Amino acid sequence: MEDEADYTFYSDFNCPYCYSLNERLLALGDLGRTAWRGIQHMPAFDSSDRSLEVQMLLSNEVSVVRKRAPEVEITTPGFIPSTAPANRLVAALAADSPTGALWALRTSIYRSYWRDGRDISDVALLDELCRTMDLSPPIVDASTATRLECQLAAWQTEWEGERFRKRLPALLSRRGDKPLLGFPTLDLLHAFLSDTSVLRHPETMAACELKPRQQIMVVGAGGAPRIDTRELDAPYVVRRVDDATGLLALLGVASSEPDLLVLDGGSLGKAVLDCIARVRKDAHRRGLAVVVALQGLDPERELACFDAGATDVVFDLSNPKIAQARLELHLRLQRSTALLQNMACFDYLTELANRREFDRRLEDEWSRCRRSRESLAMCMVDIDYFKRYNDAYGHDAGDDCLRQVAAAVRSSVRRPGDLVARFGGEEFVVLLAETDLDAAGERAEAIVQAVRELQLPHVASMVAAVVTASVGVAALVPDEWHLPAQLLQAADAALYRAKDAGRNRWLGAAAIQPG
């Protein structure tokens, strides 16, 4: 019985990492040791959404799977289905069906979506898959339906709790209550299932996380009959604010940050222009979509709203279907823009910030530390003899080495505000605000040790039998006589000195002369 299993598998059918882990668990056999818990990590998505955002999200995650699990057959679907019907079906069959048959059904559901691109939210398809597995689709009465919903809700609550941190896939061992979060390598999976190893860097593994519902804020006491958001209440969080004063007060609270702002021009009057201007003056909200609903055609006022910074001006949102169509358009654009911006500053291989994001953050931190007269430090990290590693083990192994070293560097940097980025090739850079040379040296020593402790074999190294790293460190208090490029050059020079001194170590830079 699944209740007596050694491991619990929290998964979702529309997660490519869960699908791939399911395939690996099948290949390893002994499925009777693993119980299944169906959850939803994207409850707001449905098969009708075939937007650019969905395509990019799926393409990116499938690319990760193909890189990390080349043995798993996978295609890129054109949509993300709701998995609530499939979860209910499997949960309903769990009590009276053999474990092997349930695994076969779940695998069939996974493959129907991730190999064939079929809509697994379609109840007719689920019934067909049941019969293919010689299972009878269950007839669920009201009492059983309530029990199933409570059970699924309990699993969802468990997964959203602190133990799993809303990450998928998630395996839980009942021996020691030990979780494995994210999509592991085969070695880590074997170690976890045999309970012979402590996982040192689970954050290196790709993982899906719970996507929060977008928030719509409607401002204006007279907006209720004119701006009908009934069709948006389920997939989004809709909040109402009576007036401009209430809006400005709420915008000062981080938890009230909206994804879309809808201003009722009829009730706000001239204050609508002030609301738009106040939002646009905030550097963190310049990308916020602001839609103004006017009472009727008024070209002069419409133009004034656009001049103030409105994203769009509409004249009637009293029909809930029209309100849904118009406002969801802006929400989709907002999601797509955010995704593109994130991809533009992200290094896909190492899951760190890329060089472009580093350059931007360096300028920001330089300006901030110059104002506060605080020291800014930088560590340049280079994997020793990495070209020889690639020649000896191949480029796939080299990519895996880069990922593990990236995670080791990231784990050595403790403060959330510090930046770890891939600088290029086998080089990484760490930006440490409000940090002097001595404190940066401590982080550099931690990085050198963390990379050594990975114990990745390196037969071609001239330094050690395992992969090692060299680090150069520099720090200064930004002022009008120095430039950000000088800090970078000093850290780079210190890195080359560390290499010349024998590698597998860190060295600090000399004093940086004014430019």
Side-chain angles (χ1 to χ4, degrees):
M1 296 291 291
E2 287 202 340
D3 288 342
E4 300 170 356
D6 294 328
Y7 302 96
T8 305
F9 181 19
Y10 290 79
S11 66
D12 197 358
F13 289 113
N14 62 20
C15 169
Y17 309 125
C18 293
Y19 159 65
S20 302
L21 183 53
N22 186 78
E23 292 291 310
R24 285 186 166 173
L25 290 171
L26 282 171
L28 292 172
D30 197 11
L31 301 180
R33 302 175 65 199
T34 307
W36 172 87
R37 299 287 182 266
I39 59 90
Q40 293 187 77
H41 77 301
M42 292 183 172
F45 278 81
D46 64 69
S47 307
S48 64
D49 187 352
R50 310 209 172 204
S51 61
L52 173 63
E53 177 208 8
V54 168
Q55 296 296 318
M56 292 177 64
L57 176 62
L58 286 167
S59 177
N60 184 57
E61 292 187 343
V62 168
S63 296
V64 174
V65 168
R66 286 174 176 158
K67 191 72 176 178
R68 300 191 178 189
E71 81 282 4
V72 174
E73 180 184 343
I74 188 170
T75 60
T76 305
F79 57 92
I80 300 175
S82 166
T83 53
N87 285 342
R88 284 195 293 267
L89 170 67
V90 177
L93 289 167
D96 302 317
S97 303
T99 299
L102 283 174
W103 270 94
L105 175 61
R106 288 194 292 268
T107 300
S108 180
I109 296 172
Y110 271 122
R111 291 177 178 177
S112 292
Y113 176 56
W114 289 108
R115 291 188 183 183
D116 304 329
R118 303 179 74 183
D119 185 359
I120 57 173
S121 66
D122 183 353
V123 176
L125 171 61
L126 296 175
D127 287 350
E128 174 192 327
L129 296 177
C130 269
R131 295 188 176 93
T132 303
M133 299 297 115
D134 293 325
L135 294 170
S136 298
I139 299 174
V140 179
D141 58 25
S143 175
T144 303
T146 300
R147 178 182 60 80
L148 290 174
E149 292 299 330
C150 290
Q151 184 180 65
L152 291 168
W155 292 346
Q156 185 81 17
T157 300
E158 289 172 10
W159 174 71
E160 293 181 13
E162 183 60 29
R163 176 189 285 163
F164 303 111
R165 294 180 291 159
K166 301 177 183 176
R167 291 166 69 94
L168 278 182
L171 276 174
L172 179 67
S173 171
R174 297 191 179 182
R175 293 176 292 176
D177 198 31
K178 179 177 68 175
L180 173 63
L181 305 178
F183 180 53
T185 63
L186 277 171
D187 287 344
L188 285 175
L189 182 58
H190 278 293
F192 180 79
L193 295 177
S194 61
D195 205 26
T196 60
S197 174
V198 176
L199 306 178
R200 284 179 299 199
H201 296 294
E203 66 271 20
T204 66
M205 297 177 286
C208 288
E209 297 187 8
L210 181 68
K211 305 298 188 296
R213 290 192 296 166
Q214 287 179 288
Q215 182 180 140
I216 303 170
M217 188 175 290
V218 181
V219 184
R226 296 195 335 101
I227 304 175
D228 193 330
T229 59
R230 281 178 291 173
E231 295 293 328
L232 299 164
D233 287 339
Y236 305 98
V237 176
V238 181
R239 302 188 63 179
R240 289 191 171 276
V241 182
D242 288 340
D243 52 31
T245 303
L247 167 66
L248 298 177
L250 270 179
L251 289 179
V253 182
S255 60
S256 300
E257 192 66 41
D259 297 283
L260 173 63
L261 189 61
V262 183
L263 304 176
D264 182 5
S267 63
L268 291 175
K270 294 181 179 179
V272 71
L273 299 179
D274 183 55
C275 287
I276 301 171
R278 292 286 294 271
V279 169
R280 292 297 181 237
K281 286 179 182 177
D282 187 337
H284 298 292
R285 295 193 177 96
R286 286 173 185 163
L288 175 63
V290 179
V291 176
V292 179
L294 297 179
Q295 286 182 307
L297 290 174
D298 185 342
E300 184 176 343
R301 197 167 182 216
E302 181 180 2
L303 182 60
C305 289
F306 280 122
D307 287 342
T311 308
D312 195 10
V313 178
V314 297
F315 302 99
D316 185 10
L317 294 177
S318 59
N319 184 304
K321 292 292 185 181
I322 293 176
Q324 178 187 24
R326 288 191 177 277
L327 298 183
E328 279 195 329
L329 171 63
H330 289 286
L331 288 166
R332 286 197 298 273
L333 289 172
Q334 192 270 346
R335 291 196 301 264
S336 298
T337 300
L339 185 60
L340 286 168
Q341 289 173 341
N342 288 337
M343 291 180 68
C345 64
F346 183 73
D347 180 68
Y348 150 75
L349 178 64
T350 62
E351 300 181 6
L352 298 176
N354 61 14
R355 174 69 182 272
R356 179 176 180 272
E357 176 66 4
F358 164 74
D359 289 340
R360 184 190 69 81
R361 284 284 299 277
L362 176 58
E363 292 288 344
D364 289 348
E365 292 297 338
W366 182 274
S367 298
R368 190 172 67 82
C369 287
R370 180 176 173 180
R371 290 193 299 270
S372 63
R373 302 296 298 164
E374 295 282 354
S375 178
L376 180 64
M378 186 182 300
C379 299
M380 289 288 295
V381 184
D382 184 79
I383 302 175
D384 296 327
Y385 297 109
F386 184 70
K387 184 180 184 303
R388 294 189 178 195
Y389 187 94
N390 269 337
D391 293 342
Y393 297 97
H395 288 280
D396 283 345
D399 287 349
D400 190 56
C401 174
L402 284 169
R403 282 191 289 267
Q404 294 197 52
V405 170
V409 174
R410 183 171 52 198
S411 69
S412 304
V413 178
R414 298 173 179 174
R415 300 181 304 180
D418 294 332
L419 177 72
V420 180
R422 187 180 182 190
F423 193 71
E426 69 273 21
E427 283 191 331
F428 305 92
V429 62
V430 181
L431 192 62
L432 303 165
E434 300 177 8
T435 305
D436 60 20
L437 190 62
D438 290 339
E442 293 176 3
R443 290 301 95 222
E445 178 61 29
I447 291 169
V448 172
Q449 290 183 10
V451 174
R452 265 198 309 259
E453 289 172 1
L454 289 173
Q455 291 293 295
L456 297 175
H458 191 347
V459 296
S461 174
M462 305 293 288
V463 178
V466 296
V467 169
T468 58
S470 301
V471 183
V473 182
L476 59 73
V477 176
D479 56 33
E480 59 186 300
W481 299 285
H482 292 92
L483 298 172
Q486 290 179 276
L487 181 61
L488 182 61
Q489 292 164 1
D492 195 43
L495 171 62
Y496 278 93
R497 287 177 49 234
K499 290 182 177 182
D500 291 340
R503 307 187 190 233
N504 190 22
R505 68 192 65 210
W506 72 273
L507 285 177
I512 303 174
Q513 299 301 318

